[in-house]
Amino acid sequence: YNYKAFAVLYVDDEEMSLSSFTLAYEDEFRILTASNAKEGLRLLEQHKDEIGLLMTDQRILAAMRLAMMVAIPCSAVSGNQFVSVTTTMVRLTLDHGLAPASAFGFVLYSNILCGPMKQHPLGYRFGKLAMDLVEKLDLPDMYPIVALSFESSVRHWVDHQSNSLAPLLEGYRLGTSQGDFGTATLCAVNHCTQMLQSGRPLDQVLATMIEILAGLERIKQAGHLITIRIERAAVDALVR
């Protein structure tokens, strides 16, 4: 196999690490290096059809993973802590380059911008950036949580709510297949709610609700079934 068919982009702020990485792997792989996020983004855009792997400073990757783990618990405890963790993720990305968790940081930041800061266009741009990163970096495990956050809390400020339906359904499908049942269920619940709110035909809404209810029962997500059952009862009454 020709491993030089695609390039490896390595972003690190230490020149010695960049040199060592290049010397170690340049015989087998085509290596692109950047010493900061700005240069990394420029190379990513310039070679977007050639780059097959993006790597960054391992210490930063560990810090990003840790921040991702604590961000949601922080949101339930302290708004200030949530903002601090989120902005730290964004700042680390801007300083050191993209990591898989960068998409999560960007989408959380989009929620802050569209919520308390009321900067809806900018928040929408950060949320779209998060979704684009998940697709361009091929991060299916990140898709459900990023889609849930963007499609349920951000998109509707700028775009029509109906455009959230397909991403939420895909988040439900991917989350279920990956065993992330909690996030998958929330994607499903929001999908049903937004179908009803966006004015889809009631018979179509009802059929989707019945199908999703059956799916959630199979994966033992009884705690969230009541939300869809209440909405289904309302749709049943309207159909009659």
Side-chain angles (χ1 to χ4, degrees):
Y1 183 81
N2 179 19
Y3 289 105
K4 291 194 175 185
F6 293 94
V8 176
L9 173 58
Y10 183 57
V11 183
D12 197 316
D13 60 355
E14 296 183 5
E15 292 294 337
M16 185 174 294
S17 295
L18 295 175
S19 299
S20 299
F21 186 85
T22 301
L23 287 172
Y25 297 106
E26 65 181 350
D27 289 341
E28 298 178 69
F29 303 96
R30 183 154 54 99
I31 307 297
L32 301 174
T33 61
S35 59
N36 55 62
K38 183 177 181 180
E39 177 66 9
L41 288 170
R42 186 187 69 79
L43 288 172
L44 186 62
E45 180 61 28
Q46 182 180 344
H47 301 277
K48 59 185 177 182
D49 296 325
E50 306 168 42
I51 294 174
L53 179 65
L54 172 65
M55 298 183 66
T56 61
D57 188 325
Q58 296 303 304
R59 294 168 301 174
I60 304 304
L61 288 176
M64 290 289 285
R65 284 195 294 268
L66 178 61
M68 182 175 172
M69 290 172 60
V70 303
I72 298 302
C74 280
S75 69
V77 176
S78 167
N80 288 336
Q81 289 183 356
F82 172 70
V83 170
S84 178
V85 171
T86 300
T87 53
T88 295
M89 295 180 75
V90 173
R91 188 175 65 252
L92 286 173
T93 297
L94 296 177
D95 289 344
H96 299 279
L98 294 169
S102 296
F104 189 60
F106 286 151
V107 81
L108 292 183
Y109 190 53
S110 76
N111 276 258
I112 294 171
L113 290 169
C114 286
M117 298 185 71
K118 298 182 179 180
Q119 296 185 30
H120 303 137
L122 183 59
Y124 178 82
R125 288 171 60 189
F126 268 94
K128 279 291 292 177
L129 174 61
M131 292 292 288
D132 289 344
L133 284 176
V134 167
E135 294 182 8
K136 288 184 178 180
L137 299 181
D138 190 21
L139 303 171
D141 57 323
M142 294 287 296
Y143 188 97
I145 189 64
V146 172
L148 173 65
S149 185
F150 177 65
E151 305 298 345
S152 62
S153 303
V154 175
R155 183 189 287 274
H156 66 273
W157 290 107
V158 174
D159 196 6
H160 196 278
Q161 196 172 27
S162 62
N163 291 325
S164 290
L165 298 179
L168 285 169
L169 198 59
E170 179 66 2
Y172 168 57
R173 185 190 69 80
L174 281 175
T176 301
S177 66
Q178 296 163 4
D180 185 3
F181 296 141
T183 305
T185 299
L186 291 173
C187 284
V189 170
N190 276 277
H191 176 79
C192 290
T193 299
Q194 295 200 32
M195 276 194 79
L196 184 57
Q197 293 175 345
S198 61
R200 289 299 176 94
L202 291 179
D203 56 344
Q204 181 183 346
V205 175
L206 185 60
T208 299
M209 286 180 170
I210 292 171
E211 181 181 349
I212 285 179
L213 279 169
L216 295 184
E217 287 173 347
R218 285 195 296 271
I219 60 176
K220 313 293 186 187
Q221 295 296 305
H224 293 282
L225 293 177
I226 188 169
T227 302
I228 301 179
R229 283 173 176 159
I230 291 172
E231 291 181 344
R232 178 188 170 180
V235 174
D236 271 329
L238 290 170
V239 169
R240 293 196 189 100

